[in-house]
């Protein structure tokens, strides 16, 4: 049995694992779709009992895992490469720059980590169906992991999700329900479905194990280096919370002695978390239009934890324009070989912006940028900027290259 309890991030009340499923029963009761989630649960591990079993040289991360390994689906998720990007880092004044390439997950995004753990939980609870609302990646991740586990994925997606992501879900055998409306509309509908019909809900932050799944990215980073700063793009703020939770667990365990500064990057028009951190007052992003579909959110479900992650780690939030995102995507691809989707590139665009400002990180800082999704997920986004050369006759004289 994993040794953890759930604690409400609002009222701090504690619950046994068997007594809760989604939100804190008290604080969650006042939640209504359309505001950031209330009563998000945090898994609190008994680090005192884990410490004697933990070997830093050969860490067993299952000690910090909220679901028993016997329920893990067969698909291998995570363990993605941490790529050194020294030359690119030198251009930005931070030679110790690394990219955590989570596009190399089975379905091509970091979302596989959350889907993996929630699906393991579904197997533990003998649930035959896992339900989620998603702009694409959470859904394609869930579809892939459910295919591997042999349970049904039921997915509510906004009509406008990128085609590659829709193809992924459908081919993996998920039941896909496109919803006329936004991601936020799909989110509401999926909550109603699991409340009144059936299935385990995998909605981001609503199921506490989405955060636990995503935290594994931090555990893996910490296995290789101790970052001073981590850059992550934020839509709902759940990857950010997961990154924060992972480093917080390591801090409590005594593996690290301080949190890395967490930098949350949002698109200029999908900036609810940014404004919340800057002003202390929450309000929706009224018109969250951005080329980075994965971080396009009106009302970030995990806004409260996201704000805490930034403040506690003494990081910051930044916003970037679509232009800056596409520049960052091209620069990353050309200088490192890592082709990440616009939402992944947004995190790097944030680093570029920070380094051009008066708050630039010092030269000796160890920096990790999380490339959250694969570039092939959405080739329409950069297509307009790509000039594909015209064909020539297959004769050497036609080749103009010396
Ligand atoms: C979901 C996603 C994000 C943002 O994660 P949130 O938890 O919504 O903040 C960033 N990049 C990619 C590729 C994603 O799929
Ligand atoms: Zn509570």
């Amino acid at each position: 049995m994993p040794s953890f309890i759930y604690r409400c991030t609002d009222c701090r009340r504690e619950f046994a694992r068997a007594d809760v499923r989604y939100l804190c029963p008290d604080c969650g009761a006042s939640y209504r779709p359309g505001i950031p989630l209330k009563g998000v649960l945090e898994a609190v591990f008994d680090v005192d009992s884990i410490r004697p079993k933990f070997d830093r040289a050969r860490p067993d991360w299952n000690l910090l895992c909220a679901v028993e390994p016997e329920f893990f689906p067969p698909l291998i998720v995570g363990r993605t490469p941490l790529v050194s990007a020294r030359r690119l880092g030198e251009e930005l004044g931070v030679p110790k720059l690394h990219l955590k390439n989570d596009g190399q997950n089975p379905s091509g995004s970091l979302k596989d980590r959350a889907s993996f753990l929630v699906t393991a939980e579904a197997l533990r609870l003998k649930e035959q169906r896992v339900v989620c609302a998603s702009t694409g990646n959470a859904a394609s991740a869930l579809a892939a992991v459910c295919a591997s586990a042999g349970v049904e994925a039921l997915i509510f997606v906004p009509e406008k999700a990128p085609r590659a992501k829709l193809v992924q879900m459908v081919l993996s055998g998920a039941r896909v329900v496109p919803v006329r409306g936004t991601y936020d509309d799909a989110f509401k509908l999926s909550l109603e479905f699991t409340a009144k019909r059936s299935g385990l809900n995998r909605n981001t932050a609503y199921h506490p194990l989405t955060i636990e799944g995503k935290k594994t990215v931090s555990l893996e980073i910490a296995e290789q280096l101790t970052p001073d700063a981590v850059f992550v793009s934020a839509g709902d703020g759940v990857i950010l919370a997961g990154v924060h939770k992972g480093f917080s667990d390591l801090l409590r365990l005594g593996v690290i002695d301080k949190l890395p500064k967490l930098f949350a990057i949002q698109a200029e028009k999908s900036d609810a978390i940014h404004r919340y951190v800057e002003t202390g007052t929450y309000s929706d992003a009224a018109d969250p239009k951005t080329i980075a579909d994965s971080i396009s959110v009106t009302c970030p479900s995990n806004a409260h934890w996201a704000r805490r992650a930034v403040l506690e780690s003494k990081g910051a939030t930044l916003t970037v324009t679509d232009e800056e995102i596409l520049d960052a995507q091209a620069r990353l691809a050309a200088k490192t070989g890592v082709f990440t989707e616009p939402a992944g590139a947004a995190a790097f665009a944030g680093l570029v912006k920070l380094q051009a400002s008066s708050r630039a990180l010092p030269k000796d800082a160890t920096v990790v940028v999380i490339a959250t999704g694969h570039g092939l997920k959405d080739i329409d986004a950069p297509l307009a900027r790509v000039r594909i050369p015209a064909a020539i006759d297959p004769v050497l004289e036609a080749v103009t290259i010396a």
Side-chain angles (χ1 to χ4, degrees):
M1 278 269 282
S3 42
F4 74 96
I5 47 122
Y6 284 116
R7 183 192 289 147
C8 172
T9 51
D10 285 324
C11 73
R12 322 276 312 156
R13 219 180 116 191
E14 296 183 349
F15 305 90
R17 179 196 200 186
D19 295 341
V20 282
R21 182 167 281 195
Y22 302 119
L23 303 176
C24 165
D26 299 331
C27 305
S30 65
Y31 164 70
R32 51 177 175 77
I35 59 169
L37 290 174
K38 287 196 171 167
V40 171
L41 294 176
E42 174 174 359
V44 181
F45 286 82
D46 178 9
V47 286
D48 294 331
S49 77
I50 293 171
R51 208 173 283 118
K53 295 179 223 157
F54 186 80
D55 175 3
R56 268 196 80 152
R58 284 195 301 147
D60 174 7
W61 298 125
N62 288 340
L63 292 168
L64 286 173
C65 181
V67 182
E68 294 83 345
E70 65 193 276
F71 300 110
F72 288 177
L75 202 63
I76 305 287
V77 161
R79 304 183 205 167
T80 56
L82 191 63
V83 183
S84 168
R86 173 167 283 273
R87 274 182 299 124
L88 181 56
E90 274 164 2
E91 294 178 10
L92 300 171
V94 278
K96 291 192 226 162
L97 173 63
H98 301 264
L99 305 171
K100 179 68 169 164
N101 190 8
D102 253 51
Q104 282 186 234
N105 273 298
S107 88
S109 86
L110 190 147
K111 297 288 196 296
D112 285 359
R113 298 176 184 272
S115 290
F116 181 84
L117 200 63
V118 175
T119 303
E121 178 75 345
L123 293 175
R124 185 179 78 84
L125 298 170
K126 300 189 169 57
E127 282 278 1
Q128 287 306 309
R129 171 183 277 165
V130 188
V131 181
C132 94
S134 164
T135 58
N137 282 340
S140 35
L142 184 64
V145 177
C146 282
S148 145
V151 302
E152 184 191 282
L154 171 60
I155 290 157
F156 295 94
V157 283
E159 237 175 344
K160 291 198 192 102
R163 285 174 310 159
K165 300 182 185 184
L166 290 166
V167 169
Q168 278 187 298
M169 307 169 207
V170 172
L171 278 187
S172 302
R175 295 177 83 161
V176 178
V177 185
V179 178
R180 250 177 257 122
T182 61
Y183 164 60
D184 302 76
D185 297 323
F187 195 94
K188 274 180 232 176
L189 185 59
S190 74
L191 289 183
E192 234 180 299
F193 186 93
T194 46
K196 299 198 177 133
R197 296 202 183 159
S198 68
L200 183 68
N201 195 301
R202 177 241 178 264
N203 278 0
T204 197
Y206 183 70
H207 198 301
L209 297 191
T210 52
I211 299 166
E212 285 300 308
K214 289 174 173 181
K215 88 176 178 188
T216 56
V217 72
S218 297
L219 306 182
E220 291 171 17
I221 291 169
E223 213 173 305
Q224 288 180 259
L225 48 80
T226 307
D228 298 303
V230 178
F231 286 75
V232 59
S233 58
D236 276 309
V238 183
I239 295 182
L240 179 63
V243 169
H244 174 251
K245 176 58 164 51
F247 286 115
S248 302
D249 280 1
L250 293 172
L251 188 63
R252 290 183 59 231
L253 199 58
V255 175
I256 55 173
D257 53 21
K258 69 171 183 7
L259 293 177
K261 287 187 191 328
L262 301 180
F263 289 90
I265 318 304
Q266 294 209 283
E268 195 175 38
K269 291 196 175 134
S270 179
D271 64 343
I273 291 171
H274 170 68
R275 283 182 293 102
Y276 188 25
V277 170
E278 294 274 298
T279 66
T281 311
Y282 175 81
S283 66
D284 285 353
D287 184 23
K289 280 207 190 83
T290 167
I291 197 156
D293 64 288
S294 301
I295 51 171
S296 173
V297 181
T298 305
C299 174
S301 60
N302 214 23
H304 303 307
W305 191 331
R307 175 168 179 263
R308 180 160 63 89
V310 173
L311 296 180
E312 241 181 62
S313 70
K314 303 189 169 57
T317 57
L318 288 119
T319 62
V320 290
T321 63
D322 280 2
E323 196 67 19
E324 288 167 328
I325 290 173
L326 290 173
D327 286 345
Q329 184 187 38
R331 191 168 174 189
L332 264 183
K335 294 269 160 82
T336 70
V338 174
F339 180 29
T340 182
E341 68 167 272
F348 177 65
L351 173 65
V352 172
K353 194 161 192 170
L354 187 76
Q355 291 311 92
S357 78
S358 58
R359 295 182 292 169
L361 296 169
K363 237 194 158 96
D364 61 347
T366 299
V367 180
V368 174
V369 171
I370 304 180
T372 43
H374 202 290
L376 291 176
K377 288 243 178 203
D378 182 10
I379 57 163
D380 291 335
L383 199 61
R385 303 177 141 219
V386 174
R387 205 180 56 84
I388 296 162
I392 57 161
D393 290 330
V395 290
L396 187 59
E397 303 84 79
V399 181
T400 57
I401 304 160

